[in-house]
Amino acid sequence: MPPSRRRALLVVFAVARALGACDSAPPGSDVGPPDVPERDDAGTDGDPGDVPDGDVGDADAPPLPTEEEDNDPLHGGTAQRVTAPIALTGTIGPPSAERPDLDGFLVTGAAGSLLRVEAFPTSARGLDLAVRLLRLDGDGTMLWERRADDPAVTSVRRDGFLPADGDYLVLLSDRRNFGDNPAAWFGGSRHAYQLTISLVAGPSLEAAALPFSWSGSLAPSGAIQVVRAAVPTGTRLEARWSGSNAERFAPLLTVFDPVAAEVVAERDAAGGPLVLLKLRAPAETLLLALDHTRAADSALVPVGLELRALEEGVEAEPNDEAASADECEALPCEFAGTIAAPGSTGVAGLEDRDLYRFPAARGTACVLEVVRDGGAAGALDPHVAALRPPAVAGPPRPENPLALADDSPHRGDLDARLLLVPRNDGPLLVEVRDARNVAAEREGRTPTAGGADAGYRLRLTSSAAPPVATDLGTLSGPEVRDAVAAVGGTAEGWTFDAPAGLPLALELTDLSPATDLFQPLAYLTDVDGTRVLRQLAPERGGSAAAHAFVDGPGGRLHAADRWGAGGADFAYRLGLRPLPADDAVEAGIGNDTPATAQPVSWEAGRVGVVVRGTLDRSTGTGPDALDLYRVTLAPGARLVAFTGPDADEMLDTVLRLRDPDGTLLAENDDVAGSETLFSEVAAEAGAVGAVLVEVSAWGTAPRGAYALFVGTP
């Protein structure tokens, strides 16, 4: 063979040998078992035929399991049960007009462990993942939720500290599919992902002794820390969990007892950057989950945790909000505190007010006392009030309109004393302030009272002698009572029997000397005292009138100084009388225009008429969204209209009075100072003497019954 041909064959053999050493399939695959998705094994498995490390996840390994459709439990499917740890693949399928594709996986976890979910797209086709971790009860009610949704990256991670043993639902989908806009739902057969679900048992931080402080950084996109804290049983503990940016990071703190396997306390920052939690340690070891309610940002946020033991019987600042109130676990209890100078927290002009939480039982009287503790006589003028913690975000509200006390004369060193009968079970808050700061707030002045020598002692006890109300018997005619608010913090009380639904008129008059600072306040409740129906608060030296329907088989009245003080000449007059009225019913649902308004009237010897009707806005605009009644009076006569319950229905009413031509004379949604949603209006009849009374309902698509009084009481 010629040398030139021999050289050509050698080249061909060399090329063939080189080609044989390479993958014949597309990059990222070889002749072994099917490859797992991208990022599973960092791009190499060590076979001679691998393409370079870091390509697209080439590996000779068994394929990962795949999701099992239909696994969308929110839209008729069944969540796929899995056992952690597990890695699997799936796709976010195309949405229909009725539903997106949410992939659900059910995993069993133990209380106190950490559920970790991580997922990333394995196709570059616009998939943007989000996740929800849920715990549901038997009927599908959500008991617990954690979520992650980071618009800055397409992958997602969420840690969840499990509060109880049981099943947890992992919902994974494109972030747009968790919204309610079908036009935005996203998915398709090639929108693939890889999902990893694991359970982490141990804590990530140790607090071996108190005090303890830790600072670090956390990605709000779903990572959390778990701290194991050694705390002597019974220690009064304070925990502060904070982030540096409330807009990007919303802290959430969970305290867990690993011995009892239950959550001891949980609190979020209510829109701020700090969670402050005070509690009594139930065991020697606690787990604290440093979590967050906002998980939509992958940037690191500086965070910190501080733990300290609090001194027994001494207030621990800050304690000026319901979330930071000092705790009285059981009555009796006592605290020493100080009203600091305004601005001491760094906010100019902000007064110091101290809050304490204590258990309360409906109908069981208790005494809240504040006594000056050292300091000059003028260093502190104590004021005490009882507040109900907010059910949702917002400030606490008074337990009742007279649940406060200022100076209490004739009681020696006792500066403020409130005798209280709680209207409902549940915790109450005691608020201690300087009375001069209360007055400054009322008058729009900057508070100035407080300082290092403004010390006090707060005593909370049960009362062996609850206040006794005067029984007026069956209300058959006018009742007038003259009384004196001689003792601050103890309201005078009256009870009466009356048929449910009876219309009433009330009047309160200040009889004290013009030089006194006394201002009376009275309020009417249902027979059990659980709901305030009306308040009367006349100006100094004046009178105030109000109207209401009896709620139940009678009612209760209470009266005192509105600022919680008392005096021998703090005199007032309280009047109560039933309103004789005729009865009528709504004739039909067509009374919704001036031309079709139902005429109503009353017989001589009566002062009005009670009309019972219904409203129905179940479609949003009807079929019975408005009722109109026409009343004819003498020109200039004063007409009063007010609503109340009918058949135990508490419809949220709106009342308007109009001239026959539709001109608005008066309107009201909810009566000020009432804990109901009823309305009251009054106006003078015009020259023609006719007035239209318009009843409607507030809110989205309400329906229900109402009672309406119309007359000249």
Side-chain angles (χ1 to χ4, degrees), residues 507-566:
E507 187 173 8
L508 180 63
T509 303
D510 180 6
L511 300 179
S512 66
T515 55
D516 274 345
L517 299 179
F518 173 62
Q519 285 186 270
L521 184 146
Y523 66 96
L524 170 71
T525 73
D526 59 314
V527 68
D528 295 323
T530 58
R531 184 168 52 252
V532 175
L533 305 178
R534 289 305 309 266
Q535 282 190 47
L536 298 96
E539 295 298 327
R540 191 171 296 150
S543 296
H547 307 86
F549 286 96
V550 174
D551 186 359
R556 293 173 177 266
L557 281 166
H558 303 269
D561 175 54
R562 74 176 70 178
W563 312 122

Short mmCIF file of all heavy atoms in Angstrom, two decimals, residues 507-566:
data_model
loop_
_atom_site.label_atom_id
_atom_site.label_comp_id
_atom_site.label_asym_id
_atom_site.label_seq_id
_atom_site.Cartn_x
_atom_site.Cartn_y
_atom_site.Cartn_z
N GLU A 507 -82.96 60.39 79.00
CA GLU A 507 -82.46 61.75 79.12
C GLU A 507 -81.52 61.85 80.32
O GLU A 507 -81.80 61.28 81.38
CB GLU A 507 -83.61 62.75 79.26
CG GLU A 507 -83.16 64.20 79.23
CD GLU A 507 -84.32 65.17 79.20
OE1 GLU A 507 -85.47 64.72 79.36
OE2 GLU A 507 -84.08 66.38 79.03
N LEU A 508 -80.41 62.56 80.16
CA LEU A 508 -79.43 62.76 81.23
C LEU A 508 -79.13 64.24 81.33
O LEU A 508 -78.82 64.89 80.33
CB LEU A 508 -78.15 61.98 80.93
CG LEU A 508 -77.02 62.10 81.96
CD1 LEU A 508 -77.44 61.52 83.31
CD2 LEU A 508 -75.77 61.39 81.45
N THR A 509 -79.21 64.78 82.58
CA THR A 509 -79.01 66.22 82.81
C THR A 509 -77.96 66.43 83.89
O THR A 509 -77.97 65.76 84.94
CB THR A 509 -80.33 66.89 83.25
OG1 THR A 509 -81.32 66.65 82.26
CG2 THR A 509 -80.14 68.39 83.43
N ASP A 510 -77.04 67.35 83.66
CA ASP A 510 -76.01 67.72 84.63
C ASP A 510 -76.61 68.74 85.59
O ASP A 510 -77.03 69.83 85.19
CB ASP A 510 -74.82 68.32 83.89
CG ASP A 510 -73.70 68.74 84.83
OD1 ASP A 510 -73.79 68.48 86.04
OD2 ASP A 510 -72.72 69.34 84.33
N LEU A 511 -76.65 68.39 86.88
CA LEU A 511 -77.19 69.28 87.91
C LEU A 511 -76.11 69.86 88.81
O LEU A 511 -76.43 70.51 89.81
CB LEU A 511 -78.21 68.51 88.78
CG LEU A 511 -79.42 67.91 88.06
CD1 LEU A 511 -80.30 67.16 89.06
CD2 LEU A 511 -80.22 68.99 87.34
N SER A 512 -74.85 69.66 88.49
CA SER A 512 -73.77 70.12 89.35
C SER A 512 -73.56 71.62 89.20
O SER A 512 -73.98 72.23 88.21
CB SER A 512 -72.48 69.38 89.01
OG SER A 512 -72.04 69.73 87.71
N PRO A 513 -72.92 72.28 90.20
CA PRO A 513 -72.63 73.71 90.08
C PRO A 513 -71.80 74.01 88.84
O PRO A 513 -70.98 73.19 88.39
CB PRO A 513 -71.85 74.02 91.37
CG PRO A 513 -72.24 72.93 92.32
CD PRO A 513 -72.47 71.72 91.49
N ALA A 514 -71.98 75.20 88.31
CA ALA A 514 -71.29 75.57 87.08
C ALA A 514 -69.78 75.57 87.25
O ALA A 514 -69.04 75.43 86.27
CB ALA A 514 -71.77 76.94 86.61
N THR A 515 -69.31 75.75 88.48
CA THR A 515 -67.85 75.80 88.72
C THR A 515 -67.21 74.42 88.76
O THR A 515 -65.99 74.31 88.72
CB THR A 515 -67.57 76.52 90.05
OG1 THR A 515 -68.30 75.87 91.10
CG2 THR A 515 -68.00 77.98 89.96
N ASP A 516 -68.03 73.36 88.86
CA ASP A 516 -67.49 72.01 88.93
C ASP A 516 -67.03 71.53 87.55
O ASP A 516 -67.54 71.96 86.52
CB ASP A 516 -68.53 71.03 89.48
CG ASP A 516 -68.53 71.00 91.00
OD1 ASP A 516 -67.56 71.49 91.59
OD2 ASP A 516 -69.50 70.49 91.57
N LEU A 517 -66.09 70.59 87.56
CA LEU A 517 -65.61 70.00 86.32
C LEU A 517 -66.37 68.73 85.96
O LEU A 517 -66.04 68.06 84.98
CB LEU A 517 -64.12 69.66 86.44
CG LEU A 517 -63.19 70.85 86.69
CD1 LEU A 517 -61.75 70.37 86.82
CD2 LEU A 517 -63.32 71.88 85.58
N PHE A 518 -67.41 68.41 86.72
CA PHE A 518 -68.18 67.20 86.52
C PHE A 518 -68.89 67.20 85.16
O PHE A 518 -69.48 68.19 84.75
CB PHE A 518 -69.20 67.06 87.64
CG PHE A 518 -70.19 65.94 87.47
CD1 PHE A 518 -69.75 64.62 87.41
CD2 PHE A 518 -71.55 66.20 87.38
CE1 PHE A 518 -70.66 63.59 87.27
CE2 PHE A 518 -72.46 65.17 87.24
CZ PHE A 518 -72.01 63.86 87.19
N GLN A 519 -68.81 66.04 84.47
CA GLN A 519 -69.60 65.82 83.26
C GLN A 519 -70.16 64.42 83.32
O GLN A 519 -69.42 63.44 83.21
CB GLN A 519 -68.74 66.00 82.00
CG GLN A 519 -68.42 67.45 81.68
CD GLN A 519 -67.70 67.56 80.35
OE1 GLN A 519 -66.49 67.52 80.31
NE2 GLN A 519 -68.46 67.70 79.28
N PRO A 520 -71.47 64.28 83.51
CA PRO A 520 -72.05 62.95 83.66
C PRO A 520 -72.06 62.19 82.33
O PRO A 520 -72.08 62.77 81.25
CB PRO A 520 -73.47 63.22 84.14
CG PRO A 520 -73.79 64.57 83.58
CD PRO A 520 -72.49 65.33 83.61
N LEU A 521 -72.05 60.86 82.44
CA LEU A 521 -72.21 59.98 81.29
C LEU A 521 -73.05 58.80 81.74
O LEU A 521 -72.85 58.26 82.84
CB LEU A 521 -70.86 59.50 80.76
CG LEU A 521 -70.89 58.63 79.50
CD1 LEU A 521 -69.66 58.91 78.62
CD2 LEU A 521 -70.94 57.13 79.82
N ALA A 522 -73.99 58.39 80.91
CA ALA A 522 -74.82 57.22 81.20
C ALA A 522 -74.88 56.35 79.96
O ALA A 522 -74.74 56.83 78.83
CB ALA A 522 -76.22 57.64 81.63
N TYR A 523 -75.09 55.06 80.18
CA TYR A 523 -75.26 54.17 79.04
C TYR A 523 -76.27 53.08 79.35
O TYR A 523 -76.45 52.67 80.50
CB TYR A 523 -73.92 53.58 78.58
CG TYR A 523 -73.24 52.64 79.54
CD1 TYR A 523 -73.39 51.26 79.45
CD2 TYR A 523 -72.40 53.12 80.53
CE1 TYR A 523 -72.75 50.39 80.31
CE2 TYR A 523 -71.74 52.26 81.40
CZ TYR A 523 -71.92 50.90 81.29
OH TYR A 523 -71.27 50.05 82.14
N LEU A 524 -76.93 52.61 78.30
CA LEU A 524 -77.96 51.57 78.38
C LEU A 524 -77.42 50.31 77.73
O LEU A 524 -76.82 50.36 76.65
CB LEU A 524 -79.22 52.03 77.63
CG LEU A 524 -80.32 50.99 77.40
CD1 LEU A 524 -81.02 50.64 78.71
CD2 LEU A 524 -81.33 51.49 76.36
N THR A 525 -77.64 49.15 78.38
CA THR A 525 -77.23 47.87 77.81
C THR A 525 -78.43 46.93 77.73
O THR A 525 -79.52 47.24 78.22
CB THR A 525 -76.14 47.19 78.65
OG1 THR A 525 -76.72 46.68 79.87
CG2 THR A 525 -75.02 48.15 78.99
N ASP A 526 -78.22 45.78 77.12
CA ASP A 526 -79.21 44.72 77.16
C ASP A 526 -79.32 44.20 78.59
O ASP A 526 -78.54 44.58 79.47
CB ASP A 526 -78.83 43.60 76.19
CG ASP A 526 -77.47 43.00 76.51
OD1 ASP A 526 -76.52 43.77 76.74
OD2 ASP A 526 -77.36 41.77 76.56
N VAL A 527 -80.25 43.28 78.82
CA VAL A 527 -80.52 42.84 80.18
C VAL A 527 -79.33 42.12 80.80
O VAL A 527 -79.13 42.15 82.02
CB VAL A 527 -81.78 41.93 80.20
CG1 VAL A 527 -81.52 40.62 79.48
CG2 VAL A 527 -82.27 41.71 81.62
N ASP A 528 -78.49 41.49 79.98
CA ASP A 528 -77.31 40.79 80.50
C ASP A 528 -76.10 41.70 80.63
O ASP A 528 -75.05 41.27 81.14
CB ASP A 528 -76.96 39.61 79.58
CG ASP A 528 -78.04 38.55 79.57
OD1 ASP A 528 -78.64 38.31 80.63
OD2 ASP A 528 -78.29 37.97 78.50
N GLY A 529 -76.21 42.93 80.16
CA GLY A 529 -75.10 43.87 80.25
C GLY A 529 -73.98 43.62 79.28
O GLY A 529 -72.88 44.17 79.43
N THR A 530 -74.20 42.81 78.24
CA THR A 530 -73.12 42.44 77.34
C THR A 530 -72.93 43.41 76.18
O THR A 530 -71.86 43.44 75.58
CB THR A 530 -73.36 41.04 76.75
OG1 THR A 530 -74.63 41.03 76.07
CG2 THR A 530 -73.36 40.00 77.86
N ARG A 531 -73.95 44.20 75.84
CA ARG A 531 -73.84 45.06 74.67
C ARG A 531 -74.38 46.46 74.99
O ARG A 531 -75.49 46.61 75.48
CB ARG A 531 -74.62 44.47 73.50
CG ARG A 531 -74.48 45.23 72.21
CD ARG A 531 -75.02 44.46 71.01
NE ARG A 531 -76.37 43.96 71.18
CZ ARG A 531 -76.68 42.68 71.36
NH1 ARG A 531 -75.71 41.76 71.42
NH2 ARG A 531 -77.93 42.29 71.51
N VAL A 532 -73.58 47.49 74.72
CA VAL A 532 -74.01 48.87 74.92
C VAL A 532 -74.95 49.28 73.79
O VAL A 532 -74.57 49.22 72.61
CB VAL A 532 -72.80 49.82 74.98
CG1 VAL A 532 -73.26 51.27 75.06
CG2 VAL A 532 -71.91 49.48 76.18
N LEU A 533 -76.16 49.69 74.14
CA LEU A 533 -77.15 50.09 73.15
C LEU A 533 -77.09 51.58 72.85
O LEU A 533 -77.16 51.99 71.69
CB LEU A 533 -78.56 49.71 73.62
CG LEU A 533 -78.76 48.23 73.99
CD1 LEU A 533 -80.19 48.01 74.47
CD2 LEU A 533 -78.45 47.33 72.81
N ARG A 534 -76.98 52.40 73.89
CA ARG A 534 -76.91 53.85 73.70
C ARG A 534 -76.08 54.48 74.80
O ARG A 534 -76.00 53.97 75.92
CB ARG A 534 -78.31 54.50 73.70
CG ARG A 534 -79.15 54.22 72.49
CD ARG A 534 -78.48 54.59 71.18
NE ARG A 534 -77.96 55.92 71.14
CZ ARG A 534 -78.62 56.98 70.67
NH1 ARG A 534 -79.84 56.85 70.22
NH2 ARG A 534 -78.05 58.16 70.62
N GLN A 535 -75.47 55.63 74.48
CA GLN A 535 -74.76 56.46 75.45
C GLN A 535 -75.40 57.84 75.48
O GLN A 535 -75.90 58.32 74.46
CB GLN A 535 -73.29 56.60 75.08
CG GLN A 535 -72.42 55.43 75.41
CD GLN A 535 -70.95 55.76 75.23
OE1 GLN A 535 -70.47 56.80 75.69
NE2 GLN A 535 -70.23 54.86 74.57
N LEU A 536 -75.33 58.49 76.65
CA LEU A 536 -75.75 59.88 76.80
C LEU A 536 -74.60 60.62 77.46
O LEU A 536 -74.14 60.24 78.55
CB LEU A 536 -77.01 60.01 77.66
CG LEU A 536 -78.27 59.34 77.12
CD1 LEU A 536 -78.43 57.96 77.74
CD2 LEU A 536 -79.50 60.19 77.42
N ALA A 537 -74.12 61.67 76.83
CA ALA A 537 -72.99 62.44 77.34
C ALA A 537 -73.25 63.92 77.14
O ALA A 537 -72.77 64.53 76.16
CB ALA A 537 -71.70 62.01 76.63
N PRO A 538 -74.01 64.56 78.03
CA PRO A 538 -74.32 65.98 77.86
C PRO A 538 -73.10 66.86 78.09
O PRO A 538 -72.14 66.48 78.76
CB PRO A 538 -75.39 66.24 78.93
CG PRO A 538 -75.11 65.21 79.99
CD PRO A 538 -74.63 64.00 79.24
N GLU A 539 -73.13 68.03 77.50
CA GLU A 539 -72.10 69.02 77.80
C GLU A 539 -72.27 69.50 79.23
O GLU A 539 -73.32 69.32 79.85
CB GLU A 539 -72.22 70.20 76.83
CG GLU A 539 -71.96 69.84 75.38
CD GLU A 539 -70.55 69.35 75.16
OE1 GLU A 539 -69.63 69.84 75.87
OE2 GLU A 539 -70.35 68.47 74.30
N ARG A 540 -71.22 70.12 79.77
CA ARG A 540 -71.25 70.58 81.15
C ARG A 540 -72.44 71.52 81.36
O ARG A 540 -72.60 72.50 80.65
CB ARG A 540 -69.94 71.27 81.49
CG ARG A 540 -69.76 71.57 82.97
CD ARG A 540 -68.35 72.05 83.24
NE ARG A 540 -67.38 71.01 82.93
CZ ARG A 540 -66.15 71.25 82.50
NH1 ARG A 540 -65.75 72.48 82.32
NH2 ARG A 540 -65.32 70.25 82.27
N GLY A 541 -73.29 71.16 82.33
CA GLY A 541 -74.47 71.97 82.64
C GLY A 541 -75.65 71.74 81.71
O GLY A 541 -76.69 72.38 81.88
N GLY A 542 -75.55 70.83 80.76
CA GLY A 542 -76.60 70.62 79.78
C GLY A 542 -77.32 69.29 79.93
O GLY A 542 -77.18 68.58 80.93
N SER A 543 -78.09 68.95 78.88
CA SER A 543 -78.85 67.71 78.85
C SER A 543 -78.58 66.99 77.53
O SER A 543 -78.18 67.61 76.54
CB SER A 543 -80.36 67.97 78.98
OG SER A 543 -80.68 68.54 80.23
N ALA A 544 -78.83 65.68 77.53
CA ALA A 544 -78.70 64.87 76.32
C ALA A 544 -79.83 63.86 76.30
O ALA A 544 -80.22 63.33 77.35
CB ALA A 544 -77.36 64.16 76.27
N ALA A 545 -80.39 63.60 75.11
CA ALA A 545 -81.48 62.65 74.95
C ALA A 545 -81.09 61.61 73.92
O ALA A 545 -80.30 61.86 73.01
CB ALA A 545 -82.76 63.36 74.53
N ALA A 546 -81.66 60.42 74.07
CA ALA A 546 -81.40 59.33 73.13
C ALA A 546 -82.59 58.39 73.14
O ALA A 546 -83.45 58.44 74.04
CB ALA A 546 -80.12 58.59 73.50
N HIS A 547 -82.63 57.51 72.13
CA HIS A 547 -83.72 56.56 71.99
C HIS A 547 -83.16 55.20 71.60
O HIS A 547 -82.12 55.12 70.95
CB HIS A 547 -84.73 57.03 70.95
CG HIS A 547 -85.24 58.42 71.19
ND1 HIS A 547 -84.58 59.53 70.72
CD2 HIS A 547 -86.32 58.86 71.87
CE1 HIS A 547 -85.24 60.62 71.10
NE2 HIS A 547 -86.29 60.24 71.80
N ALA A 548 -83.87 54.14 72.00
CA ALA A 548 -83.43 52.79 71.66
C ALA A 548 -84.58 51.82 71.89
O ALA A 548 -85.55 52.13 72.59
CB ALA A 548 -82.22 52.38 72.50
N PHE A 549 -84.45 50.64 71.30
CA PHE A 549 -85.36 49.54 71.57
C PHE A 549 -84.79 48.66 72.68
O PHE A 549 -83.57 48.45 72.75
CB PHE A 549 -85.56 48.68 70.32
CG PHE A 549 -86.43 49.32 69.26
CD1 PHE A 549 -85.85 50.00 68.21
CD2 PHE A 549 -87.81 49.21 69.33
CE1 PHE A 549 -86.63 50.57 67.23
CE2 PHE A 549 -88.60 49.78 68.35
CZ PHE A 549 -88.01 50.47 67.30
N VAL A 550 -85.67 48.14 73.55
CA VAL A 550 -85.24 47.18 74.57
C VAL A 550 -84.74 45.93 73.86
O VAL A 550 -85.39 45.39 72.96
CB VAL A 550 -86.40 46.84 75.52
CG1 VAL A 550 -85.98 45.73 76.48
CG2 VAL A 550 -86.82 48.07 76.29
N ASP A 551 -83.56 45.46 74.25
CA ASP A 551 -82.95 44.28 73.66
C ASP A 551 -82.99 43.15 74.68
O ASP A 551 -82.17 43.08 75.59
CB ASP A 551 -81.50 44.59 73.25
CG ASP A 551 -80.85 43.46 72.50
OD1 ASP A 551 -81.50 42.42 72.29
OD2 ASP A 551 -79.67 43.60 72.11
N GLY A 552 -83.99 42.27 74.57
CA GLY A 552 -84.19 41.23 75.56
C GLY A 552 -85.29 41.62 76.54
O GLY A 552 -85.94 42.66 76.38
N PRO A 553 -85.48 40.85 77.60
CA PRO A 553 -86.58 41.10 78.54
C PRO A 553 -86.27 42.17 79.58
O PRO A 553 -86.58 42.02 80.76
CB PRO A 553 -86.77 39.74 79.20
CG PRO A 553 -85.41 39.14 79.20
CD PRO A 553 -84.77 39.59 77.92
N GLY A 554 -85.64 43.24 79.19
CA GLY A 554 -85.31 44.32 80.11
C GLY A 554 -83.99 44.96 79.73
O GLY A 554 -83.51 44.82 78.60
N GLY A 555 -83.42 45.69 80.70
CA GLY A 555 -82.17 46.36 80.40
C GLY A 555 -81.48 46.84 81.67
O GLY A 555 -81.98 46.67 82.79
N ARG A 556 -80.31 47.46 81.47
CA ARG A 556 -79.51 48.00 82.56
C ARG A 556 -79.06 49.41 82.20
O ARG A 556 -78.71 49.69 81.05
CB ARG A 556 -78.27 47.14 82.82
CG ARG A 556 -78.57 45.76 83.37
CD ARG A 556 -77.30 44.93 83.43
NE ARG A 556 -77.56 43.62 84.03
CZ ARG A 556 -77.41 43.32 85.32
NH1 ARG A 556 -76.95 44.26 86.15
NH2 ARG A 556 -77.67 42.13 85.78
N LEU A 557 -79.02 50.29 83.21
CA LEU A 557 -78.51 51.65 83.06
C LEU A 557 -77.37 51.86 84.04
O LEU A 557 -77.40 51.36 85.18
CB LEU A 557 -79.62 52.67 83.35
CG LEU A 557 -80.63 52.94 82.24
CD1 LEU A 557 -81.81 53.69 82.81
CD2 LEU A 557 -79.99 53.74 81.11
N HIS A 558 -76.34 52.59 83.59
CA HIS A 558 -75.21 52.94 84.44
C HIS A 558 -74.90 54.41 84.23
O HIS A 558 -75.00 54.92 83.11
CB HIS A 558 -73.98 52.11 84.09
CG HIS A 558 -74.21 50.63 84.19
ND1 HIS A 558 -73.96 49.92 85.34
CD2 HIS A 558 -74.67 49.74 83.27
CE1 HIS A 558 -74.26 48.65 85.13
NE2 HIS A 558 -74.69 48.51 83.89
N ALA A 559 -74.49 55.10 85.32
CA ALA A 559 -74.16 56.52 85.22
C ALA A 559 -73.06 56.87 86.20
O ALA A 559 -72.97 56.30 87.30
CB ALA A 559 -75.39 57.39 85.49
N ALA A 560 -72.17 57.81 85.78
CA ALA A 560 -71.08 58.29 86.63
C ALA A 560 -70.44 59.48 85.93
O ALA A 560 -70.90 59.93 84.88
CB ALA A 560 -70.05 57.18 86.90
N ASP A 561 -69.36 59.99 86.52
CA ASP A 561 -68.58 61.03 85.87
C ASP A 561 -67.81 60.40 84.70
O ASP A 561 -67.17 59.35 84.86
CB ASP A 561 -67.60 61.65 86.87
CG ASP A 561 -66.68 62.67 86.21
OD1 ASP A 561 -67.20 63.59 85.56
OD2 ASP A 561 -65.45 62.51 86.34
N ARG A 562 -67.84 61.04 83.54
CA ARG A 562 -67.23 60.43 82.36
C ARG A 562 -65.70 60.35 82.44
O ARG A 562 -65.08 59.61 81.69
CB ARG A 562 -67.63 61.19 81.10
CG ARG A 562 -66.93 62.54 80.93
CD ARG A 562 -67.30 63.20 79.61
NE ARG A 562 -68.68 63.64 79.61
CZ ARG A 562 -69.24 64.28 78.58
NH1 ARG A 562 -68.54 64.52 77.49
NH2 ARG A 562 -70.49 64.67 78.64
N TRP A 563 -65.10 61.12 83.37
CA TRP A 563 -63.63 61.09 83.52
C TRP A 563 -63.19 60.24 84.69
O TRP A 563 -62.00 60.21 85.03
CB TRP A 563 -63.08 62.51 83.63
CG TRP A 563 -63.61 63.44 82.59
CD1 TRP A 563 -64.28 64.60 82.79
CD2 TRP A 563 -63.52 63.26 81.17
NE1 TRP A 563 -64.63 65.17 81.58
CE2 TRP A 563 -64.17 64.38 80.57
CE3 TRP A 563 -62.97 62.29 80.34
CZ2 TRP A 563 -64.28 64.52 79.19
CZ3 TRP A 563 -63.08 62.44 78.96
CH2 TRP A 563 -63.73 63.54 78.40
N GLY A 564 -64.15 59.57 85.38
CA GLY A 564 -63.79 58.67 86.45
C GLY A 564 -63.56 59.32 87.79
O GLY A 564 -62.99 58.69 88.69
N ALA A 565 -63.96 60.58 87.97
CA ALA A 565 -63.78 61.27 89.25
C ALA A 565 -65.09 61.22 90.04
O ALA A 565 -66.08 60.64 89.62
CB ALA A 565 -63.33 62.71 89.02
N GLY A 566 -65.10 61.84 91.20
CA GLY A 566 -66.29 61.89 92.03
C GLY A 566 -66.25 63.09 92.94
O GLY A 566 -65.20 63.68 93.16
#
